[in-house]
Amino acid sequence: MSLLEVRDVVVDYKTPGRPAVRAVAGASLEVGAGEIVGLVGESGCGKSTLGRCIVGLQKLSSGTVTLNGVPVTPVGRRVRPQADLGLQMVFQDPYSSLNPRRRIWRQVADGLINNRSDSTTRRTAIELLEAVGLSAADADRYPHEFSGGQRQRIAIARALAPKPSVIVADEAVSALDASTQAQVANTLVDLARDRKMGLLFISHDLSVIRHIADKVAVMYLGRIVETAPTASLWESRLHPYTDALVRAIPSLEPNAPAPVAPSGEVPDPAAPPSGCRFHPRCPVAMERCGTDDPALVMIDDTRAAACWHQPAGGPAVRLASLELQRRPRFDNESERQR
Amino acid sequence: MSLLEIDNLSIQIRDNRVLVDGVSLTVNEGEIVGIAGESGSGKTVTAMSALGFLPAGATAHGEVRIDGVDLLAMNPKKLRSIRGTEVAMVFQDPMTSLHPMLNIGTQLTEHIRVHQGLGRKAAWARAAELLEMVRLPDPHSALSAFPHRFSGGMRQRIAIASALACDPKLLIADEITTALDVTVQAGILDLLNRLRHETGMAVVFITHDLAVMNVIADRLYVMYGGRIAESGSISQVLNATRHPYTRALIDSLPEGAVLGQALVPIPGEAATPDRRPRGCAFNPRCAFAVDSCRSEVPELRELEVGHSAACTVDPFGSRLDRAQTHRPALSTLEDPHVAS
Amino acid sequence: MTLSTTDPNLAPDGIPVRRNLWLRTRKRIPVAWRRPLAAVGIVIILAWVMLAIFAPWVAPFDPLAQDFSRYQPPSLEHLFGTDAVGRDLLSRVIYGARVSLPLAVLLVALSVLVGATVGALAGYVGGVVDSALMRVVDLFFAFPGIILAMAVAAALGPSLTNAVLAIVVVSWPAYARVTRSLVLSLRESNYLAASRLLGASSGRALIKEVMPNVAGPVLVLASLELGNAVLLLSGLSFLGLGAVPPSAEWGSMVSAGASVFYYYWVALFPGLAIFTVVLGFNFLGDAMRDALDPRSARSVATSEL
């Protein structure tokens, strides 16, 4: 049994006077100790909602989230149960995740279980700050004196205070500069490996995930459409959306072909397409895809996909071998002239 | 004569903070020129000067010439007639670039009517034409819709349409895809490339993402600490890199790093106008820095035709062995970008 | 690898943190002086506070002593002249500061206390509690302030204490509304969520995370309201609902002088006193707002270019 298990989570947003919007439509994943799982998807796919559900900041409509076998309690009026303190989060925006009016060592110390004398607490807080690459001299300062990357590291130190078993990083590096992204991502990875913590790294950037994650889960319009070990994902994709995502990434290789945009736009989550949610934009959609919604099934020991082309239990079908029907394209693929 | 010539531009604001320091660059017709850099490098201020915009309270030296005429010396009335007509700009945030209370048609036609003096019907038709040019689905009904109905990618297309309204010779695109999803970005890059070929418009494309530069730009200027660190064609700057900053930047990107190894960040913090080291702005973070780097500001020297770098040490230069500067390839397994 | 921001290689100061903090605070003061109005405000209020504290030593005569001829115009002996019963006006005006200033502060403090508590509860707890409390606030807002104050003061009987109470009754709803909207926006902030994730109780999070961020804007509002408080207090006294003669209070002094306009000095000087104090508090409030905004001291143009 994995450290963190998420099963069939569904989240509906109800606004009065409108039909409910299903932000997450049945998502499942697992994170083990010392494992780094990347959850990737584009805007509106529900990955942040799922992340918040996992830590308890968002109520689920159905499904379960368990940490060490114990269901996680949503954060509400009552104090968060001791058992749940092992599940912490690092947020996206470094400028709003720290209290501007409190010194950073005090914020880091918030999560220390034994908040005894001030000096012991302060010393432990400073140790945590040093673990993320800051120094004791920084302890008494306020958040606005730090850069975005440093603030994220302070937020990580704060999340480390209760000695968590799993950290959910919700787009933790997305708001940072390119080189700072690398710094902060490395910090998270090193800490996860050293402390045998599970790390669920949520991001829209497949390139970063590719570098740090052991396993990747791809999300589209509220569903997880593919999971695979990172290396196999790069070798070949099983789901057409994952393939489209990878093809859209610009490359640094010399004379690289232009990135390719999938046809159409992401549909409104309030009115998802019938059948497979990706079918209107899918280059290899069949008739069945318009009526039946495929479930996420294991294709082999390590890979799963939610696509009618991929039979449960295998063998995996190579997308490249399917006849690519020319569908009316939004943008014509253009040959770049150099 | 080039379309845009920035000639030894320096911009300072109060307290002697230097935003741009002796920057020169050129853009020719039909070219896509990239300006790459992190925040604080001065790339946006440099690009804004091409529209005659300077930060509040700033003093500028040097010249910014469009078709040979210096914008910085121009009177405001003439400047206004150039902005939007000869030079246009699209900004980063699609969510705030359009007026939320006016429909798309009104916003587009206002611009057209001011500069081209068309009547209402003619302007509306031209607006629909522009929306078609940027491949917005169902342009005619889009005209009467309001911005909130559109996604980020669509709004950027509308912003591009608005910029194109008066057939500008030069388009400044400031981080226009940074806030967009990668699939949406691919569509916008394709659009920009197509427009360049269809209209012959030149583009100054600003971004910190070198992979995007690689696929969209013809030539590239890399800026750091208000100065140009390296410039040249895309293949020169990215494949035959000569400046340590460019090299370090490439190595820190996931696309540029070696799979299986940790990402290699650039140590330290990026130089900003508040904190700019003496001598070469990059020296505190540079693996090749020597004593002179801390006191002398390196000149931008031409290393080969069209390729310049501002580094006195030039650590990658004397080596004939291309392997030293060649970037490691991505996974040797099935290349996702090669059609099979 | 420590990546602290104090890098000796940097051209600007590489001074250690604590001294740097002091230098930064010192840098803020010139900012205040750059806005002359703020400086003027501070000077005015400080002057009045000094006068109030040292009144027994500064005032030439006893404010209650009726020893002099009535309605004397301003002269070298009586700089502000004398009033209807022969009291020295200058002394009365100086002593008046002892009434108006502390009461104004007390008044605002009480209003903030009541209003902020109600507003914070409403914003944080939400739901039925929020609706109920806000309906009460709306009820109070329905009455024009001065009328309500008059009604309460009249009901309680004329005295300064009752006037203060009456004004608190009228002033607290504004703070409730401001606090509530501040708390509502802060409720969604990530640092509050993080605090709950780390095990803080709902109440503790409210006090430790939310209230310090509410304090700033509320303090600014309070300092701006100080001037208004002086005005209301004087107003009620003018109407005979506050200070009772013979106490030296500016509002009642203006009232006494209003009916004898020929003897202009009787109403003029207390009126000027009210005017300068209110003006001073207003400028002070602006200064507070600028000082509490961490962004005002830095140049905007250097950010993210």
Side-chain angles (χ1 to χ4, degrees):
Chain A
M1 183 184 60
S2 297
L3 202 46
L4 175 73
E5 281 192 8
V6 179
R7 291 260 163 274
D8 302 317
V9 167
V10 174
V11 180
D12 290 322
Y13 282 129
K14 293 185 204 62
T15 37
R18 283 182 179 183
V21 175
R22 186 151 281 198
V24 180
S28 307
L29 53 84
E30 292 170 8
V31 182
E35 189 182 22
I36 301 179
V37 176
L39 178 59
V40 70
E42 302 189 290
S43 333
C45 71
K47 58 192 189 298
S48 282
T49 309
L50 183 58
R52 292 176 76 94
C53 259
I54 290 174
V55 297
L57 288 174
Q58 172 78 42
K59 287 204 170 50
L60 333 140
S61 305
S62 73
T64 57
V65 178
T66 58
L67 183 67
N68 282 318
V70 178
V72 171
T73 317
V75 173
R77 291 263 175 273
R78 295 175 209 258
V79 176
R80 206 171 180 225
Q82 192 84 319
D84 287 354
L85 293 180
L87 191 49
Q88 290 299 328
M89 189 162 198
V90 179
F91 300 88
Q92 171 170 10
D93 182 8
Y95 296 92
S96 66
S97 53
L98 297 174
N99 189 334
R101 299 242 178 254
R102 296 178 67 206
R103 295 182 201 272
I104 62 163
W105 78 265
R106 287 197 186 275
Q107 298 191 52
V108 171
D110 272 347
L112 293 173
I113 312 274
N114 293 322
N115 241 313
R116 280 172 306 198
S117 76
D118 247 356
S119 59
T120 329
T121 313
R122 190 189 149 92
R123 213 178 311 134
T124 322
I126 290 181
E127 274 167 26
L128 285 167
L129 284 172
E130 285 170 345
V132 297
L134 293 165
S135 74
D138 297 321
D140 286 306
R141 297 160 91 164
Y142 290 89
H144 70 262
E145 304 180 57
F146 296 94
S147 68
Q150 290 171 318
R151 285 190 221 205
Q152 282 302 62
R153 281 186 270 131
I154 298 168
I156 294 170
R158 179 179 62 187
L160 286 178
K163 298 203 180 35
S165 9
V166 175
I167 288 190
V168 176
D170 183 8
E171 302 265 22
V173 301
S174 308
L176 306 172
D177 261 338
S179 60
T180 321
Q181 285 195 8
Q183 277 175 10
V184 176
N186 281 347
T187 309
L188 272 170
V189 169
D190 292 339
L191 288 166
R193 302 267 191 235
D194 289 342
R195 296 173 188 228
K196 302 272 185 298
M197 291 184 315
L199 177 64
L200 179 63
F201 192 91
I202 303 175
S203 176
H204 63 276
D205 191 343
L206 198 48
S207 313
V208 175
I209 287 199
R210 185 185 168 204
H211 262 277
I212 66 172
D214 302 315
K215 200 169 82 178
V216 181
V218 181
M219 209 163 164
Y220 182 78
L221 214 56
R223 295 291 214 88
I224 294 190
V225 298
E226 183 165 357
T227 64
T230 315
S232 350
L233 198 75
W234 235 255
E235 194 182 308
S236 63
R237 273 78 52 203
L238 298 183
H239 194 284
Y241 172 64
T242 319
D243 193 47
L245 200 55
V246 172
R247 283 173 187 278
I249 300 175
S251 158
L252 263 177
E253 285 296 294
N255 297 317
V260 173
S263 63
E265 289 264 315
V266 180
D268 186 357
S274 56
C276 170
R277 286 161 173 241
F278 188 60
H279 91 262
R281 309 174 70 193
C282 182
V284 296
M286 308 182 288
E287 257 205 62
R288 190 181 184 191
C289 304
T291 48
D292 301 336
D293 196 357
L296 185 68
V297 294
M298 297 299 294
I299 309 299
D300 58 35
D301 286 337
T302 55
R303 313 189 60 171
C307 178
W308 291 122
H309 287 293
Q310 307 293 353
V317 173
R318 281 169 59 93
L319 287 177
S321 66
L322 292 170
E323 195 167 50
L324 295 177
Q325 302 142 16
R326 277 254 143 209
R327 290 171 58 89
R329 292 279 315 219
F330 199 63
D331 296 305
N332 291 323
E333 278 180 45
S334 54
E335 288 303 310
R336 286 211 55 232
Q337 291 161 18
R338 279 188 176 271
Chain B
M1 183 182 60
S2 309
L3 178 56
L4 169 68
E5 272 167 10
I6 296 183
D7 192 354
N8 205 20
L9 179 69
S10 291
I11 299 178
Q12 275 189 340
I13 51 171
R14 65 160 190 259
D15 294 344
N16 285 330
R17 276 186 225 149
V18 177
L19 301 179
V20 178
D21 190 359
V23 165
S24 300
L25 62 85
T26 53
V27 178
N28 300 308
E29 285 183 25
E31 268 195 310
I32 298 187
V33 171
I35 304 183
E38 300 166 289
S39 47
S41 60
K43 57 191 194 301
T44 300
V45 184
T46 307
M48 297 278 262
S49 71
L51 282 158
F53 282 129
L54 293 175
T59 44
H61 301 280
E63 289 187 1
V64 177
R65 294 189 290 267
I66 299 275
D67 278 339
V69 187
D70 184 14
L71 292 182
L72 299 182
M74 208 179 268
N75 70 67
K77 197 162 167 221
K78 184 107 203 301
L79 210 50
R80 266 201 298 276
S81 70
I82 292 192
R83 280 183 203 139
T85 49
E86 299 204 16
V87 187
M89 186 156 180
V90 181
F91 300 88
Q92 171 171 356
D93 184 4
M95 293 308 162
T96 56
S97 53
L98 299 171
H99 194 303
M101 310 276 280
L102 299 173
N103 65 34
I104 305 297
T106 311
Q107 298 191 43
L108 284 175
T109 52
E110 175 192 2
H111 186 59
I112 296 170
R113 292 177 73 178
V114 163
H115 287 288
Q116 296 184 336
L118 293 176
R120 200 168 170 278
K121 267 187 103 177
W124 213 261
R126 170 91 178 120
E129 241 176 63
L130 288 167
L131 290 181
E132 261 185 56
M133 249 169 101
V134 299
R135 297 287 206 271
L136 202 71
D138 203 1
H140 289 274
S141 49
L143 284 175
S144 21
F146 285 83
H148 62 83
R149 303 286 298 271
F150 296 95
S151 66
M154 302 279 222
R155 287 193 214 196
Q156 282 301 50
R157 286 178 194 265
I158 296 170
I160 293 172
S162 176
L164 292 175
C166 303
D167 289 319
K169 295 186 192 158
L170 178 66
L171 178 70
I172 316 252
D174 188 0
E175 304 260 21
I176 63 174
T177 56
T178 305
L180 302 176
D181 284 323
V182 69
T183 52
V184 178
Q185 169 179 269
I188 300 285
L189 293 176
D190 177 62
L191 171 66
L192 216 55
N193 196 36
R194 231 179 359 90
L195 286 171
R196 177 263 290 260
H197 284 124
E198 280 172 18
T199 66
M201 181 177 69
V203 180
V204 172
F205 195 93
I206 302 167
T207 180
H208 60 274
D209 187 339
L210 290 179
V212 170
M213 276 311 186
N214 188 36
V215 299
I216 191 77
D218 302 319
R219 286 192 298 118
L220 176 56
Y221 292 88
V222 179
M223 283 187 73
Y224 187 81
R227 303 185 184 115
I228 299 208
E230 188 166 0
S231 67
S233 72
I234 282 290
S235 61
Q236 284 170 335
V237 177
L238 295 182
N239 299 357
T241 314
R242 295 290 278 271
H243 195 287
Y245 171 62
T246 316
R247 174 86 263 146
L249 194 56
I250 294 172
D251 289 340
S252 75
L253 297 175
E255 298 90 334
V258 177
L259 195 56
Q261 293 180 15
L263 298 170
V264 183
I266 310 179
E269 303 278 321
T272 58
D274 286 341
R275 309 138 39 88
R276 194 167 75 145
R278 289 191 193 93
C280 171
F282 187 58
N283 86 69
R285 312 169 77 193
C286 183
F288 305 98
V290 299
D291 282 333
S292 63
C293 298
R294 283 183 259 281
S295 48
E296 291 163 24
V297 177
E299 292 279 306
L300 191 65
R301 292 181 302 139
E302 191 168 38
L303 307 164
E304 45 175 344
V305 177
H307 187 188
S308 310
C311 181
T312 43
V313 176
D314 197 14
F316 311 115
S318 49
R319 295 172 210 192
L320 298 170
D321 183 0
R322 271 206 83 229
Q324 300 292 336
T325 57
H326 179 61
R327 284 171 291 114
L330 294 176
S331 166
T332 53
L333 304 165
E334 180 181 303
D335 186 335
H337 293 279
V338 174
S340 30
Chain C
M1 169 177 63
T2 7
L3 293 165
S4 167
T5 54
T6 50
D7 183 338
N9 198 15
L10 292 181
D13 57 88
I15 307 168
V17 176
R18 288 215 184 273
R19 237 184 98 198
N20 214 3
L21 221 90
W22 163 236
L23 282 176
R24 282 211 206 106
T25 320
R26 255 183 45 183
K27 271 194 225 156
R28 286 264 190 95
I29 300 174
V31 173
W33 287 105
R34 258 182 240 160
R35 297 172 173 281
L37 289 183
V40 168
I42 294 171
V43 165
I44 292 177
I45 298 303
L46 268 176
W48 275 114
V49 169
M50 288 294 121
L51 279 176
I53 295 174
F54 295 110
W57 292 275
V58 177
F61 303 101
D62 179 350
L64 299 176
Q66 304 178 13
D67 303 334
F68 312 98
S69 16
R70 310 167 346 133
Y71 290 131
Q72 288 265 334
S75 62
L76 275 175
E77 209 199 329
H78 298 281
L79 281 172
F80 285 0
T82 61
D83 69 354
V85 289
R87 294 176 288 213
D88 175 44
L89 222 45
L90 175 61
S91 310
R92 282 178 70 74
V93 167
I94 292 175
Y95 268 84
R98 289 191 141 199
V99 173
S100 299
L101 290 177
L103 280 184
V105 173
L106 176 68
L107 202 148
V108 170
L110 281 174
S111 308
V112 169
L113 201 62
V114 175
T117 314
V118 171
L121 267 171
Y124 198 70
V125 176
V128 180
V129 173
D130 181 14
S131 305
L133 286 173
M134 283 302 112
R135 296 297 80 77
V136 172
V137 168
D138 289 341
L139 194 66
F140 278 90
F141 266 129
F143 295 94
I146 190 74
I147 306 290
L148 184 58
M150 281 167 61
V152 174
L156 292 173
S159 86
L160 272 172
T161 331
N162 293 341
V164 168
L165 276 170
I167 299 173
V168 170
V169 162
V170 165
S171 313
W172 75 263
Y175 297 101
R177 275 229 183 129
V178 168
T179 316
R180 175 181 175 268
S181 60
L182 279 168
V183 169
L184 274 179
S185 66
L186 291 172
R187 212 167 63 163
E188 305 308 318
S189 54
N190 284 332
Y191 55 84
L192 184 62
S195 179
R196 298 302 313 281
L197 285 179
L198 292 169
S201 70
S202 206
R204 229 181 91 178
L206 173 62
I207 296 172
K208 265 172 71 178
E209 308 289 341
V210 178
M211 293 316 272
N213 286 289
V214 166
V218 170
L219 246 139
V220 170
L221 182 64
S223 57
L224 287 168
E225 284 289 299
L226 278 170
N228 212 22
V230 170
L231 217 48
L232 276 172
L233 207 53
S234 312
L236 283 179
S237 303
F238 178 89
L239 295 169
L241 292 166
V244 179
S247 66
E249 198 278 331
W250 294 333
S252 55
M253 285 171 17
V254 173
S255 173
S259 47
V260 283
F261 250 52
Y262 181 68
Y263 303 118
Y264 64 89
W265 57 90
V266 183
L268 176 67
F269 292 109
L272 279 177
I274 298 173
F275 170 68
T276 54
V277 166
V278 172
L279 206 63
F281 274 135
N282 279 351
F283 292 157
L284 188 66
D286 286 342
M288 285 222 64
R289 185 191 57 217
D290 292 337
L292 280 174
D293 181 359
R295 280 157 293 176
S296 66
R298 295 183 50 106
S299 155
V300 173
T302 55
S303 56
E304 305 308 312
L305 282 174

